[in-house]
Amino acid sequence: MRFNHYLNFQGETEAAFTFYRSIFGGEFSSLTRYGDMPAQEGLDLSETEKSLILHVALPINEYTELMGSDVNDKLCTPNTPAFVKGSNHFIAIILSASEQVEAQRLFEALSVKGKVEMPLEKTFWGALYAAFTDQFGVQWMINCLLEEHTI
């Protein structure tokens, strides 16, 4: 089973995924723009809207891809809630690093221009842990076990 994360942005998907690719490496396995869609009757997209990301996927490892898109209000249904940046208050992506150096690298890179809730530090559960929101409004947690710790 694969468990992937899908992020929505409003005009920032390309910048966000270029940023994430600089941290995680690799190449996009998919990148489609709204302008790549077949013409649809009644859907008139501006040149700016056509340049936005319809879907992008960045493989992180053989089991995980980070995916995303720019929300386009013209394609939303009446039941779709309006996009509000950073409104995913109770959803975070958790990265489990296997080495302290990697945990530090991920924290320093992903938190650039973001808001740190808890800096990377040792915890009572025997791990290095950090919580923060990146510059694109996505919440992250990093956890790196320092020793065998049972619950």
Side-chain angles (χ1 to χ4, degrees), residues 117-151:
E117 179 184 321
M118 181 177 169
L120 190 66
E121 56 189 40
K122 291 182 181 180
T123 64
F124 67 89
W125 64 85
L128 285 177
Y129 174 82
F132 57 94
T133 302
D134 74 17
Q135 62 187 306
F136 300 102
V138 175
Q139 294 180 318
W140 295 85
M141 295 178 199
I142 296 176
N143 195 68
C144 177
L145 292 178
L146 297 173
E147 55 194 60
E148 288 296 318
H149 191 81
T150 56
I151 299 175

Side-chain angles (χ1 to χ4, degrees), residues 1-68:
M1 176 188 295
R2 295 180 65 150
F3 192 84
N4 298 317
H5 302 78
Y6 205 96
L7 306 174
N8 290 296
F9 300 92
Q10 196 159 36
E12 293 184 304
T13 302
E14 189 162 6
F17 273 77
T18 298
F19 175 70
Y20 298 142
R21 184 176 64 187
S22 75
I23 294 166
F24 297 112
E27 296 298 326
F28 300 131
S29 61
S30 174
L31 193 151
T32 309
R33 297 181 187 279
Y34 280 95
D36 298 330
M37 292 188 327
Q40 296 180 26
E41 188 176 326
L43 181 63
D44 185 30
L45 299 177
S46 70
E47 290 305 310
T48 300
E49 290 171 319
K50 288 178 182 179
S51 71
L52 296 176
I53 304 295
L54 175 64
H55 175 74
V56 63
L58 177 63
I60 304 301
N61 59 39
E62 67 179 299
Y63 303 107
T64 306
E65 282 190 287
L66 187 60
M67 301 176 183

Side-chain angles (χ1 to χ4, degrees), residues 61-80:
N61 59 39
E62 67 179 299
Y63 303 107
T64 306
E65 282 190 287
L66 187 60
M67 301 176 183
S69 66
D70 286 307
V71 173
N72 187 321
D73 294 335
K74 291 180 181 177
L75 297 172
C76 293
T77 67
N79 294 329
T80 305

